[in-house]
Amino acid sequence: MTTKHTAAAAAAELKTIRDFLRYGVSRFNEADLDYGHGTGTAFDEAVFLVLETLHLPVDQLDPYLDSRLTAAEREAVAGILHARIDTRKPAPYLLNKAYIQGIPFYVDERVIIPRSYIGELLFSDMFGGDDFTLVEDPTSVERVLDLCTGSGCLAILAARIFPEAQVDAVDLSPDALEVAKRNVADSGFEDRITLHQGDLFAPLKTRKYDVIITNPPYVDAEAMNALPPEFRAEPEMALAGGDDGLDIVRRILKEAPKHLTPEGGLLCEFGTGREILEAEYPNLDFLWLQTANSFGEVFWLTRDQLKAGK
């Protein structure tokens, strides 16, 4: 006989954070959930949901593991663990919060959940490092563009990394820009970040930028058809990149040179289509970049390289 697990029973029987984490991992594994929106395992997902619900630091589990919870806290934690299973929504949608580089951002179903490798690269030695860098002096950057900004997170990170820059952020979705507007207001960079609604470069007319960053939709048609429920919860517009995933990347490569300053460069995350790009653009000198969890899924091209590769 199978016992049905309920949030009410969990709230009544479990006492400590350790209890709820063990319970969450068991139930998540039983439900065969999918991850990839800031966490990669059932344990990490349970930690994120439990600690955030209790308003505890998500990077400080050990001091609180054996803390006993109040009745109201037990109900809240049990409720969100079961909501994760019942709705199959990614944890950041349930919490309305996602982190990049330790910085929290508001998210809901109007935007893709931020998880771009570009965030890691912006905070690396690639920008202002002592050895090899893409931009030697971040304070010299005057204008930055974030294409397909979604929640606005990369535009906000860019405002941090390039302290003297004015940042334009563009998205086709008015709904996404409402979320970005909220995050920009919370960031304190409202005087330096301007949001634009439109199709890629269209609303920018002839403006030129020292750095263009973009994490456009790049999921190919086959992968779109196979997405699990957690990823189907995200806006299709923010994911689908055409048959091979690179439709929008091609448009950006074509139009970017007109919007870069002479010393400017393009930083683009494009997924796993490196072989396609190399075959299609044999004269482009792509610089393939590495992060902790990827290699060759982000490239850098200068304006001169883009023009020479045509």
Side-chain angles (χ1 to χ4, degrees):
M1 180 177 177
T2 301
T3 301
K4 180 171 175 57
H5 299 283
T6 66
E13 297 171 9
L14 305 176
K15 303 300 181 185
T16 67
I17 288 177
R18 189 188 297 272
D19 292 339
F20 280 98
L21 290 179
R22 196 285 307 160
Y23 178 82
V25 172
S26 294
R27 300 290 74 76
F28 291 175
N29 287 337
E30 182 181 55
D32 195 24
L33 300 184
D34 281 278
Y35 310 101
H37 295 93
T39 67
T41 66
F43 177 75
D44 288 344
E45 188 94 337
V47 169
F48 181 48
L49 284 164
V50 170
L51 294 185
E52 278 289 347
T53 300
L54 295 172
H55 308 291
L56 293 171
V58 292
D59 58 349
Q60 294 181 27
L61 173 61
D62 288 349
Y64 306 106
L65 258 177
D66 294 307
S67 299
R68 293 169 62 89
L69 306 184
T70 67
E73 288 174 331
R74 296 199 303 271
E75 289 180 8
V77 171
I80 202 161
L81 292 177
H82 275 267
R84 177 67 179 88
I85 296 164
D86 295 340
T87 67
R88 290 295 295 264
K89 289 182 179 179
Y93 283 158
L94 297 174
L95 296 164
N96 294 127
K97 185 182 286 187
Y99 290 87
I100 290 190
Q101 295 299 303
I103 300 167
F105 296 96
Y106 174 86
V107 294
D108 61 32
E109 284 87 342
R110 293 174 290 178
V111 295
I112 191 172
I113 294 168
R115 50 190 180 271
S116 174
Y117 298 129
I118 290 175
E120 179 183 337
L121 289 167
L122 287 174
F123 279 72
S124 74
D125 286 344
M126 292 289 99
F127 295 89
D130 293 330
D131 297 318
F132 174 78
T133 65
L134 304 177
V135 176
E136 189 171 318
D137 180 11
T139 64
S140 68
V141 173
E142 297 179 357
R143 297 199 68 87
V144 174
L145 171 61
D146 176 22
L147 283 178
C148 309
T149 193
S151 62
C153 59
L154 292 183
I156 291 165
L157 296 183
R160 285 174 172 257
I161 298 303
F162 306 111
E164 304 300 323
Q166 291 294 316
V167 180
D168 285 330
V170 179
D171 205 282
L172 186 58
S173 166
D175 288 339
L177 289 173
E178 286 299 314
V179 176
K181 182 178 179 181
R182 174 171 179 165
N183 281 319
V184 170
D186 291 343
S187 75
F189 293 127
E190 281 183 291
D191 60 331
R192 293 177 47 215
I193 299 176
T194 304
L195 301 174
H196 304 267
Q197 193 274 322
D199 185 14
L200 296 182
F201 297 96
L204 305 171
K205 304 196 184 303
T206 60
R207 294 184 191 178
K208 296 183 184 295
Y209 299 90
D210 301 305
V211 176
I212 298 174
I213 58 177
T214 182
N215 181 24
Y218 57 71
V219 181
D220 64 47
E222 182 179 355
M224 284 295 298
N225 290 332
L227 287 178
E230 283 84 352
F231 289 86
R232 289 194 177 278
E234 296 182 290
E236 183 177 347
M237 177 191 294
L239 295 170
D243 286 347
D244 65 4
L246 297 174
D247 286 0
I248 298 172
V249 175
R250 291 183 180 94
R251 291 181 56 202
I252 291 170
L253 288 171
K254 180 180 179 180
E255 299 176 43
K258 296 180 292 186
H259 294 277
L260 285 167
T261 59
E263 302 300 322
L266 167 68
L267 185 68
C268 176
E269 179 174 335
F270 65 97
T272 57
R274 175 176 172 175
E275 290 184 1
I276 298 172
L277 289 180
E278 287 181 323
E280 193 166 330
Y281 299 93
N283 297 320
L284 273 182
D285 190 16
F286 292 99
L287 176 61
W288 308 109
L289 299 175
Q290 183 172 358
T291 70
N293 295 303
S294 74
F295 178 73
E297 295 185 42
V298 182
F299 64 75
W300 170 265
L301 286 166
T302 66
R303 189 194 73 156
D304 287 347
Q305 289 169 331
L306 282 161
K307 294 181 74 172
K310 284 191 172 183

